[in-house]
Amino acid sequence: MAVQVRNVELEQLAGGCVSAQIYQGAEPVRCPPVLLYFHGGAFMRTGLEECPLARCFAATGAIVVVPDYNAPFGGVFPKPMEVGFSIFSALAKKCAGFGERKSLLIVGGEESGANIAAAVALKARDNFAGELDGQVLASPLLDPFMGSPSFRNSDDIGMRQRWENGWAHYLSGGICHPYAAPSICSRLRDVAPALVLASDDDPLLDEAKDYARHLTDAGVPVHQHILPAGTGWPSIYGGDTGQASSWQDPVGSHFLSFTRELGTRYARLET
């Protein structure tokens, strides 16, 4: 499906206006899933650029909202998470006018953006139980200690120093709360069902798999999909893989299956 992108200003938020891009398929879809998607950038990127994963998900029929969540207050915890949660709250209350409440409402992100999405999902569980239908975590950057085997043993794709600097920046406010580093959260029960994505040549593979396992152990429905090496997947967060990307079709298929199952689950809860 062809995808159209438009720039908007999200208003009526607790922290003021936030610039965003809306990715939406050119063909109309009845009650499309609404995905609030946080871009990567090691907690430090501002501005709105082309987001290949947002385009991939929109091609399945979803409306994907990609906000410039670091711009209003900078990328130091808790501000980016609070901006993200404010946007989620507005969507949950139908203040922003995207779709209907019958549409699924999902949060997602890649790399540091997946950290923000996981934190918003935790806070949604604590404050808006039942309003969030799912979360999509693509190569989530969750461990400030960066000590996983896949991180230590992976070939350097040019991200190590960037992540070290990013974590130092994000936690420079002196707070390491579970919302800041969801990998340390010991209370995951009742968070929204998750789709967790990574690849075999991804330095963040073990962080993704560990968090998926912790969610499963807490009784959270999890779809975990690990792409084979060589698809160019780490390029989604800026890693230089030196390979052509071939991850789009399988990732789009996994996302579509996930949203369809969420829709079935939501319909059962409504009856």
Side-chain angles (χ1 to χ4, degrees):
M1 183 189 299
V3 173
Q4 300 172 341
V5 184
R6 57 192 173 95
N7 296 321
V8 301
E9 292 291 321
L10 304 178
E11 301 178 342
Q12 300 180 354
L13 303 175
C17 294
V18 176
S19 298
Q21 288 181 324
I22 309 273
Y23 290 73
Q24 187 170 6
E27 301 173 16
V29 176
R30 184 175 181 273
C31 295
V34 177
L35 171 62
L36 172 58
Y37 193 79
F38 301 103
H39 62 70
F43 300 109
M44 295 186 287
R45 197 185 103 195
T46 59
L48 294 169
E49 304 172 3
E50 170 68 17
C51 185
L53 266 172
R55 186 175 291 276
C56 175
F57 296 144
T60 71
I63 297 174
V64 185
V65 183
V66 183
D68 189 9
Y69 61 95
N70 276 330
F73 303 107
V76 177
F77 180 82
K79 292 302 183 181
M81 186 274 297
E82 290 176 345
V83 171
F85 185 75
S86 176
I87 299 169
F88 159 74
S89 301
L91 292 175
K93 295 174 181 177
K94 299 189 286 190
C95 291
F98 302 111
E100 307 172 9
R101 185 59 193 101
K102 290 182 180 179
S103 296
L104 295 170
L105 179 55
I106 306 167
V107 295
E110 63 204 48
E111 191 232 21
S112 58
N115 180 302
I116 303 298
V120 170
L122 289 170
K123 191 167 183 178
R125 183 269 317 272
D126 296 339
N127 294 271
F128 280 91
E131 294 297 326
L132 181 64
D133 296 302
Q135 55 181 316
V136 177
L137 308 178
S139 296
L141 184 65
L142 303 172
D143 178 13
F145 301 105
M146 297 179 292
S148 71
S150 66
F151 186 92
R152 294 196 308 268
N153 299 331
S154 66
D155 294 331
D156 190 355
I157 58 172
M159 297 297 295
R160 191 181 304 271
Q161 188 62 51
R162 187 180 179 187
W163 284 332
E164 289 177 358
N165 294 341
W167 273 116
H169 174 72
Y170 190 54
L171 301 179
S172 61
I175 303 172
C176 193
H177 188 277
Y179 290 172
S183 63
I184 69 173
C185 184
S186 60
R187 193 172 64 87
L188 296 174
R189 185 176 179 84
D190 295 327
V191 299
L195 169 63
V196 181
L197 300 165
S199 70
D200 281 327
D201 53 353
D202 189 344
L204 301 177
L205 171 63
D206 287 337
E207 292 184 43
K209 292 170 69 174
D210 287 348
Y211 196 63
R213 184 176 65 254
H214 293 325
L215 289 170
T216 299
D217 290 346
V220 177
V222 174
H223 290 244
Q224 176 183 282
H225 297 286
I226 308 302
L227 299 170
T231 64
W233 171 258
S235 65
I236 65 162
Y237 50 69
D240 183 10
T241 66
Q243 301 164 337
S245 296
S246 59
W247 50 261
Q248 289 87 347
D249 285 347
V251 167
S253 178
H254 292 317
F255 177 75
L256 187 58
S257 296
F258 179 64
T259 56
R260 285 174 173 169
E261 182 166 320
L262 288 179
T264 301
R265 180 175 181 271
Y266 181 73
R268 287 199 304 264
L269 293 175
E270 286 289 286
T271 58

